[in-house]
Amino acid sequence: MLVSLKQKKKLKPQKRISVKPVLVFRIAYKDQSLDKQAFDDEFSTNLLTAFLEKIDPNKRMFLNSDIQEFQKFSKTLDNEFKQGETKSAFIIYERYQQRIENRYTFIIDLFKANEFDFTIDETIPLDRDAWPADQKSSDDYWRKLAKTSIIENILGEEEKTQKEVADELVERYENYLKQIKLNKPEDIYENYITAVGSLFDPHTSYFTPINEEDFNIDMSLSLTGIGAELSLDKNITTISRLIENGPAQKSGLLQEEDQIIGVAQGNKDFVNI
């Protein structure tokens, strides 16, 4: 197996990013919304739900047993928040990291084996309303997800064989896995504070200073490059808006909501992103 599940250094809150969340929101909302918000068990419950939905919106990574275990935080997050603590968020994210590395390794192995049975009728829910009940249920879901990915890519690339498609998917998920392993404490903090912000305003996002700078640069480059505004939707680069009279719009080849999974220059081969 080329992809290892070797445990990396544990993600922990860092002192250099330990600006108290309460202070962040007093600055952002000038005290108005914050003073009206009751920091109680209801706030804790809502924050836990928002954070879980933020990091695992498709309910693919966690198991139901994880969600049940996390319910202990539904009575404590309000106190942590008032004290400027994010320890529970990091505990939750550490489990998420373990689950996503495990699931990506699992699907990579399925693509490498490339032993899919297309003679049986199976269905896979487009929108999940609950996390997998156990490991067996999760394995079955990800097996169907792998099978669906093979079918979709073969239909989209008529000249490619099943093995070629499977090999490309191996490369794509290995890239996803590498990116996940690069997560820093700032990234967890950003997701958590954004979840808090969603309780005040669903359109609120929080960026750490470094990520804000990267975001502004990326958006600037996207606007002046292909003439499209790009965003990340569930870890997939997505066209959120076409700039009027820009190259992308004039070409007629791109549409809003299109997902970008590879790039190429001229007649060169596409590279997965």
Side-chain angles (χ1 to χ4, degrees):
M1 184 184 301
L2 295 178
V3 181
S4 171
L5 278 180
K6 182 179 179 182
Q7 189 75 330
K8 66 174 186 175
K9 186 176 180 181
K10 193 171 184 179
L11 291 166
K12 295 180 179 179
Q14 305 269 316
K15 286 186 177 180
R16 63 189 178 90
I17 58 168
S18 61
V19 178
K20 287 192 174 185
V22 172
L23 178 59
V24 171
F25 280 90
R26 285 199 183 280
I27 294 173
Y29 289 92
K30 298 180 180 179
D31 289 355
Q32 296 178 9
S33 298
L34 188 61
D35 289 340
K36 297 177 183 178
Q37 174 68 56
F39 294 100
D40 50 18
D41 288 349
E42 182 179 359
F43 173 85
S44 291
T45 300
N46 292 338
L47 177 53
L48 177 61
T49 300
F51 185 51
L52 294 174
E53 291 286 348
K54 172 67 178 173
I55 61 178
D56 191 11
N58 294 315
K59 297 180 172 61
R60 293 177 176 177
M61 304 303 173
F62 288 125
L63 299 178
N64 186 59
S65 57
D66 297 323
I67 305 304
Q68 296 305 312
E69 181 182 341
F70 297 152
Q71 294 310 305
K72 62 187 178 184
F73 300 125
S74 65
K75 306 295 183 184
T76 61
L77 292 180
D78 57 321
N79 296 324
E80 281 193 10
F81 183 80
K82 287 184 286 188
Q83 296 166 6
E85 296 287 347
T86 54
K87 291 184 293 185
S88 296
F90 278 78
I91 292 172
I92 292 171
Y93 202 91
E94 185 73 19
R95 180 71 56 80
Y96 173 76
Q97 187 98 1
Q98 293 169 2
R99 294 298 187 199
I100 196 171
E101 289 183 15
N102 179 273
R103 294 297 79 193
Y104 281 0
T105 301
F106 178 76
I107 200 170
I108 286 169
D109 287 343
L110 290 177
F111 289 135
K112 285 181 178 179
N114 196 21
E115 297 175 348
F116 301 98
D117 186 353
F118 296 106
T119 65
I120 58 176
D121 291 331
E122 293 185 296
T123 60
I124 183 171
L126 295 178
D127 296 309
R128 296 179 60 88
D129 56 9
W131 279 273
D134 50 33
Q135 191 65 54
K136 183 178 179 180
S137 297
S138 180
D139 287 351
D140 187 58
Y141 174 80
W142 279 83
R143 178 189 61 79
K144 292 178 180 178
L145 186 64
K147 185 176 176 179
T148 301
S149 297
I150 290 286
I151 294 172
E152 289 178 342
N153 281 271
I154 288 178
L155 292 176
E157 301 285 351
E158 296 181 2
E159 297 181 359
K160 292 187 177 180
T161 66
Q162 181 177 323
K163 185 180 185 308
E164 289 174 328
V165 168
D167 288 343
E168 286 186 355
L169 289 168
V170 167
E171 181 182 354
R172 186 180 304 169
Y173 274 90
E174 284 181 340
N175 286 336
Y176 290 163
L177 194 52
K178 290 176 184 176
Q179 291 299 316
I180 284 294
K181 292 183 176 182
L182 294 177
N183 277 337
K184 304 181 294 295
E186 292 92 331
D187 300 318
I188 290 82
Y189 187 81
E190 183 175 292
N191 276 306
Y192 186 61
I193 298 302
T194 296
V196 176
S198 70
L199 302 182
F200 296 85
D201 176 6
H203 305 294
T204 294
S205 293
Y206 170 79
F207 288 111
T208 58
I210 293 177
N211 286 346
E212 180 186 15
E213 182 178 350
D214 289 343
F215 177 81
N216 290 334
I217 292 174
D218 289 343
M219 290 299 100
S220 176
L221 289 175
S222 70
L223 289 171
T224 58
I226 66 172
E229 186 173 335
L230 309 179
S231 63
L232 275 180
D233 182 10
K234 299 171 185 174
N235 290 325
I236 299 177
T237 303
T238 304
I239 296 177
S240 56
R241 183 169 68 93
L242 294 179
I243 308 306
E244 188 173 357
N245 296 321
Q249 187 185 69
K250 288 181 178 179
S251 73
L253 299 175
L254 298 176
Q255 302 293 330
E256 293 182 4
E257 306 297 328
D258 281 353
Q259 296 179 336
I260 301 175
I261 60 174
V263 294
Q265 185 171 2
N267 296 321
K268 293 183 179 179
D269 292 336
F270 278 83
V271 176
N272 287 326
I273 61 173

